Amino acid sequence: MALTVVGTMAFDEIETPFGKSGKIIGGSATYIAWAASNFVQPVNQVSVVGEDFPQAELDALTARGVALDGVQVKKGEKSFYWSGKYHMDMNTRDSLVTDLNVLADFNPVIPESYQGSEFLILGNLTPQVQMSVIDQLTVRPKLIVMDTMNFWMEVAMEDLLKVLKKVDLLMVNDSEARQLSGEYSLVKAAKKILTMGPRYLIIKKGEHGALLFHENHVFFAPAMPLDEVYDPTGAGDTFAGGFIGYLAKTRDISFENMKTAIIVGSAMASFCVEKFGTSRLTEVTHEELNARLEQFVQLVNFDIDLV
Amino acid sequence: MALTVVGTMAFDEIETPFGKSGKIIGGSATYIAWAASNFVQPVNQVSVVGEDFPQAELDALTARGVALDGVQVKKGEKSFYWSGKYHMDMNTRDSLVTDLNVLADFNPVIPESYQGSEFLILGNLTPQVQMSVIDQLTVRPKLIVMDTMNFWMEVAMEDLLKVLKKVDLLMVNDSEARQLSGEYSLVKAAKKILTMGPRYLIIKKGEHGALLFHENHVFFAPAMPLDEVYDPTGAGDTFAGGFIGYLAKTRDISFENMKTAIIVGSAMASFCVEKFGTSRLTEVTHEELNARLEQFVQLVNFDIDLV
């Protein structure tokens, strides 16, 4: 039931209305691994870092059952670095600095020990890198999940469309779904995207929850209403990690089980935003997670008699 | 199990990206009555119109079990008129014309036949008018629901706060909840508003659903994802009408039953936006409503085993 995760491991420096993070660990694959490792081992990590990346972080991931054979450490180079500042509403942010560093010429290499992973998640990266990973797998995974972003639609749409044909589930936010489909209505956007390759589509709406589309079915999961969102960075990746981690644990990729997996992802994301970076994620207990899942049941379940 | 509805009955002229409505029937009490009359009779309407208001509309409401004894018809005067234009996202609109006409000096008079109504909903109107209705009731209703808007917070906050102390449930949208409480976080806003009088609070988020707060409980109902929102005018009032109509039908004001009532309100609102004005509302059948309620169950229900 192994899970392979492809994405960035990086440094972030974040400013929110609540304060400044300083230089902390970030990256899509980092968040996915922390979330998914609650449910499944091994998590086979594929990424690249510079020699400035802290050994302590790598050790912490190893202790969680995250395999690092596929993480390249580039001597004499620096890790990917991003800094950004959130606006008061926490839904918009400005990127202040983006230094690609080791990411500029990343060529992922899938170790032999990762072959046969039943689940694969392609975090947000250039579509060429995502395709390269798919091409290196000797056995097609049971489920391939892909994340992407507006930027790749602008600079690499042709490659993006090729990867789309190879994946089972695409995960994007609402503005990305609109850009990819050219449709404003999310329902119409979903119908169009489901003709482009993936059989499943998740549209993430941040604090407004997430929608799962498949054939004529649709499922909605809210975000947990919180007193404060301290730092939204990584919430989408954490959601993705909880989602695919739960699927890998249960080895059930039915639509019904995906509904539950989305709730699990939402619960993980609700922890993520409580502190800067991954710090809250690293300490979540099973008791806390189960309590939050119970809160989701209370939040959305209702009895209905037909009228 | 009678329900008394206070609000406007008016003319609207609406432009959306899909077209122009021409001069049609609108008003908060109109939408509430059309929605609530699916569940409860009589609906005791309290409003004011000019002599230009079509008799056919009044007859149609009467045929639905809406009592009009409390609707004043002002000879020689014109009905409230509003025209507006929606932006492409349908979440924002510009008011083009607002002619108060008969609304400028509206003094509601509660007919003797309305006394003893178990349920009261105060649609969006000046707080003085809302208070006047409460003061005229010889028996306090089992549940008083109040709607209001930013405008009254700006020009009549003192009166608004007095009415708030008299009601059981306040219904506002997210920006109104923020303005009333001075809190950006909706959870914090809700906590504050629940100290201002009402024991229940519904925060409407349009296409992003609605939240119900009570003590430490919170419930979330999504909006039904639709191919197109043709005209959002009146969706909030229709939601309110479905909500209180269902409560009045079941005579159960527990938090659990309010959850169901919110889903019913969301279902009614999902019909409302399919056509201009009230036209879709006037033709909804019980079969259609039950089918949509079943869609809501599919949309949000999930099974969870603790992890």
Side-chain angles (χ1 to χ4, degrees), chain A residues 39 88-91 174 178 183-188 191 205 207-208 211 213 218-222 225-228 246 249 256 259-260 263-264 286 289-290 293-294 296-307, chain B residues 39 88-91 174 178 183-188 191 205 207-208 211 213 218-222 225-228 246 249 256 259-260 263-264 286 289-290 293-294 296-307:
Chain A
F39 309 100
M88 188 58 207
D89 69 0
M90 289 288 198
N91 284 322
D174 40 5
R178 288 181 171 126
E183 293 283 352
Y184 186 81
S185 151
L186 294 181
V187 174
K188 287 189 172 178
K191 285 180 183 165
K205 303 197 299 172
E207 63 169 320
H208 299 304
L211 288 159
F213 295 91
V218 54
F219 176 70
F220 176 83
L226 297 170
D227 270 28
E228 291 297 357
Y246 183 81
K249 170 193 168 86
E256 286 305 312
K259 291 181 175 184
T260 307
I263 298 290
V264 171
H286 268 58
L289 177 55
N290 281 332
L293 291 174
E294 181 55 33
F296 271 93
V297 173
Q298 294 301 319
L299 182 65
V300 299
N301 272 16
F302 61 90
D303 290 321
I304 199 116
D305 290 324
L306 298 189
V307 293
Chain B
F39 309 100
M88 189 59 205
D89 69 2
M90 288 289 196
N91 284 323
D174 41 4
R178 288 178 171 129
E183 294 283 353
Y184 187 81
S185 152
L186 294 182
V187 174
K188 287 190 173 177
K191 285 180 183 164
K205 303 199 297 171
E207 63 169 318
H208 300 303
L211 288 159
F213 294 91
V218 54
F219 176 71
F220 175 82
L226 297 171
D227 270 28
E228 291 297 358
Y246 184 81
K249 172 194 167 87
E256 285 306 311
K259 292 181 174 183
T260 308
I263 298 291
V264 170
H286 267 60
L289 177 55
N290 281 332
L293 291 174
E294 180 55 33
F296 271 93
V297 173
Q298 294 300 319
L299 182 65
V300 299
N301 273 16
F302 61 89
D303 290 321
I304 200 118
D305 290 324
L306 298 188
V307 293

Side-chain angles (χ1 to χ4, degrees), chain A residues 150-168:
Chain A
N150 296 55
F151 180 71
W152 306 118
M153 299 174 198
E154 284 148 24
V155 305
M157 186 57 132
E158 207 174 317
D159 290 330
L160 177 58
L161 291 174
K162 283 181 195 158
V163 185
L164 266 183
K165 290 194 192 307
K166 302 272 189 181
V167 307
D168 301 299

Side-chain angles (χ1 to χ4, degrees), chain B residues 37 45 52 90 93 97 105 117 125 128 140 150 153 163 181 187 191 207 210 226 244-245 270 273 275 284 297:
Chain B
S37 58
Q45 195 85 331
D52 54 354
M90 288 289 196
R93 68 185 186 189
V97 181
D105 56 357
S117 277
L125 270 175
Q128 293 95 325
R140 191 193 190 278
N150 295 54
M153 298 172 197
V163 185
S181 64
V187 174
K191 285 180 183 164
E207 63 169 318
L226 297 171
I244 199 155
S270 75
V273 302
K275 291 189 179 177
V284 174
V297 173

Side-chain angles (χ1 to χ4, degrees), chain B residues 129-173:
Chain B
V129 167
Q130 294 178 319
M131 185 63 103
S132 158
V133 170
I134 294 175
D135 287 343
Q136 289 177 58
L137 300 179
T138 52
V139 183
R140 191 193 190 278
K142 191 167 171 173
L143 189 79
I144 302 180
V145 173
M146 174 193 183
D147 189 10
T148 190
M149 70 184 293
N150 295 54
F151 180 71
W152 307 118
M153 298 172 197
E154 283 148 25
V155 305
M157 187 58 132
E158 206 174 316
D159 289 329
L160 177 57
L161 292 174
K162 283 181 194 159
V163 185
L164 266 183
K165 291 195 191 306
K166 302 273 190 178
V167 307
D168 301 298
L169 188 151
L170 177 69
M171 201 177 267
V172 285
N173 68 30

Side-chain angles (χ1 to χ4, degrees), chain A residues 8-35:
Chain A
T8 56
M9 297 173 70
F11 289 116
D12 285 346
E13 211 161 333
I14 301 155
E15 188 175 342
T16 77
F18 300 105
K20 295 179 179 188
S21 69
K23 193 172 173 183
I24 58 175
I25 301 295
S28 59
T30 305
Y31 283 101
I32 294 172
W34 277 109

Side-chain angles (χ1 to χ4, degrees), chain A residues 220-269:
Chain A
F220 176 83
M224 181 57 64
L226 297 170
D227 270 28
E228 291 297 357
V229 170
Y230 195 85
D231 171 19
T233 309
D237 296 315
T238 302
F239 168 86
F243 173 77
I244 200 154
Y246 183 81
L247 290 181
K249 170 193 168 86
T250 54
R251 302 181 68 189
D252 172 357
I253 59 169
S254 67
F255 186 74
E256 286 305 312
N257 200 49
M258 283 192 187
K259 291 181 175 184
T260 307
I262 283 195
I263 298 290
V264 171
S266 300
M268 292 309 303

